[in-house]
Amino acid sequence: MGQLYSIYNGFNSFRTATLLFTQRLIFGEQKLLEQPQSHDTTKTPTTLQSLPVEILLYIFSFLELKPYIISHGVCKEWLRLLPMAELHPIRSRLLALYHRIIHTPHFENSLTWSLDNLHPFDRQAYIDSLLAQYPVIPEEFRMWILEWPARLVIACTWPGIQFRNSGASNCRRRFGVNWLGYNNESPQLFAVLYKNQTPQVKFIPALLIWRESHTTDWLVFAEDEPDIFGRVYVTDVMEGEKSSIITNGRHPDYDDDSDDESDGYINVPHADWVTYLECQWENIAPFLLVPETLYDGRPDSDLQIRQPVPVQFGGGLPTMLPTFPWDLRGTISHLALFN
């Protein structure tokens, strides 16, 4: 028993020391631990540089995105070691997207409008507000909200970008409405229909991301539906879909007179939030060198959105809510009968 206690205490000591190392690293302090006053000048103080490589890599693996990126400028040795650290898989994907963007020629052309219209928001409060409505958040989205560089906005999609109806579409501005910016101090989940026209039809929680003239982007929060949890669906009224319904199965092709059930439109969602962001960047990148004189739309084509925002269930207007808040789902269950 005494040996078990010894192992346990040793593990706790190592864990505590590791946490202290990480905290010192993040807050930029040179010394890892406060050294006790000693008159023995023969001992070398413990610093990050004196740690074994294995411990350094272990510490690096816990760094969030911003300190991980900044740490590359500390010294040549860290620059060499940091890529060897085993990051969280989602953080690693976000880092890859970050590098893809900043290594795209003229990527800064995509940021000018966003930087002029960027406002701070409380990231943790944003997450806490969502958790108060539903107990689980797709991890890709949670990590992006908490760690992504605010000044590297992709396609105007960010809670800190103003809630307006953009009438322009170019590498700097995305046509439509950034619904992440709607009530960003207390964001709301909304109730969307799933498994419509089946006995299993029900409302599921989803976060409204973006709306254009005929498309609506949803991030699904329904943990009890693992096939769609964390996926991003883009509903398209031009394909016979409704903005308040997450589709399942195949839509009939109204332009096809054949009876082949294999024909028709299938709404294939983005696999997760990072995949959605990657797609948005790929849509922007080809237009980074287009002269500004050829941009669509004008600054005065941005329109204020009427507050409070009205609800048009299943409607297609980008300036209206297509459904009701998630916490009102019990009072709107009858709407499933009409869709």
Side-chain angles (χ1 to χ4, degrees):
M1 182 63 71
Q3 186 176 10
L4 289 177
Y5 278 124
S6 177
I7 294 173
Y8 175 78
N9 290 333
F11 173 77
N12 272 345
S13 298
F14 174 76
R15 183 175 62 180
T16 301
T18 301
L19 289 174
L20 285 171
F21 292 154
T22 305
Q23 291 172 0
R24 301 282 182 173
L25 173 62
I26 291 174
F27 291 106
E29 298 184 28
Q30 185 174 0
K31 291 185 178 181
L32 288 175
L33 298 172
E34 295 295 337
Q35 299 297 322
Q37 295 294 327
S38 173
H39 299 290
D40 187 354
T41 58
T42 62
K43 293 184 178 180
T44 303
T46 302
T47 64
L48 272 173
Q49 285 74 15
S50 65
L51 288 174
V53 169
E54 292 80 3
I55 295 181
L56 272 178
L57 293 178
Y58 182 73
I59 295 171
F60 291 159
S61 70
F62 287 99
L63 291 178
E64 294 184 353
L65 196 61
K66 181 177 178 179
Y68 178 86
I69 293 170
I70 293 175
S71 295
H72 283 71
V74 171
C75 63
K76 290 183 179 179
E77 181 65 5
W78 283 23
L79 183 64
R80 182 182 71 85
L81 292 176
L82 280 162
M84 302 180 189
E86 188 174 345
L87 298 179
H88 188 288
I90 296 173
R91 187 170 291 122
S92 181
R93 292 177 63 199
L94 288 173
L95 180 67
L97 178 58
Y98 168 84
H99 283 300
R100 184 191 308 179
I101 293 173
I102 66 171
H103 289 111
T104 301
H106 307 287
F107 79 93
E108 64 277 2
N109 290 347
S110 70
L111 302 175
T112 53
W113 185 86
S114 295
L115 293 177
D116 288 340
N117 293 274
L118 186 64
H119 302 282
F121 71 100
D122 189 326
R123 299 188 186 211
Q124 188 59 57
Y126 188 96
I127 294 297
D128 292 343
S129 179
L130 293 175
L131 287 173
Q133 301 166 68
Y134 194 76
V136 181
I137 295 178
E139 184 61 16
E140 295 85 358
F141 183 78
R142 188 198 69 84
M143 192 172 290
W144 176 74
I145 287 289
L146 294 177
E147 300 186 20
W148 187 256
R151 296 175 63 83
L152 195 62
V153 177
I154 302 174
C156 303
T157 306
W158 182 250
I161 293 294
Q162 60 182 343
F163 177 61
R164 296 173 67 92
N165 185 16
S166 172
S169 179
N170 50 61
C171 74
R172 298 187 307 169
R173 298 160 70 212
R174 182 180 176 187
F175 183 78
V177 180
N178 170 42
W179 281 91
L180 285 182
Y182 172 63
N183 197 20
N184 64 6
E185 294 182 358
S186 182
Q188 284 185 312
L189 292 176
F190 292 92
V192 294
L193 277 174
Y194 182 56
K195 296 182 178 178
N196 190 41
Q197 297 180 346
T198 73
Q200 294 79 35
V201 62
K202 64 177 181 178
F203 283 105
I204 60 173
L207 184 65
L208 182 56
I209 306 300
W210 194 275
R211 298 201 77 186
E212 297 185 18
S213 57
H214 58 88
T215 60
T216 303
D217 301 2
W218 293 103
L219 174 61
V220 177
F221 274 55
E223 186 189 23
D224 59 338
E225 295 289 346
D227 290 341
I228 62 172
F229 174 71
R231 297 183 183 271
V232 180
Y233 278 83
V234 180
T235 64
D236 191 341
V237 297
M238 300 298 290
E239 296 290 350
E241 297 180 313
K242 289 191 176 181
S243 57
S244 56
I245 298 176
I246 299 297
T247 59
N248 61 305
R250 187 183 298 272
H251 284 270
D253 189 341
Y254 297 106
D255 296 327
D256 190 349
D257 296 330
S258 71
D259 295 328
D260 187 353
E261 293 184 357
S262 65
D263 291 339
Y265 166 73
I266 294 181
N267 188 330
V268 179
H270 299 277
D272 55 37
W273 181 251
V274 178
T275 303
Y276 176 78
L277 294 175
E278 291 169 343
C279 179
Q280 296 305 318
W281 178 250
E282 291 304 317
N283 291 338
I284 291 173
F287 300 100
L288 291 172
L289 294 179
V290 175
E292 188 171 351
T293 54
L294 300 180
Y295 284 174
D296 295 330
R298 306 181 310 277
D300 58 3
S301 62
D302 287 353
L303 301 175
Q304 294 283 355
I305 297 176
R306 179 163 58 99
Q307 301 275 2
V309 179
V311 176
Q312 184 185 39
F313 190 79
L317 290 177
T319 56
M320 290 188 178
L321 287 167
T323 185
F324 295 86
W326 172 244
D327 57 7
L328 295 180
R329 62 193 180 280
T331 64
I332 60 171
S333 58
H334 63 283
L335 293 175
L337 301 174
F338 302 99
N339 289 277

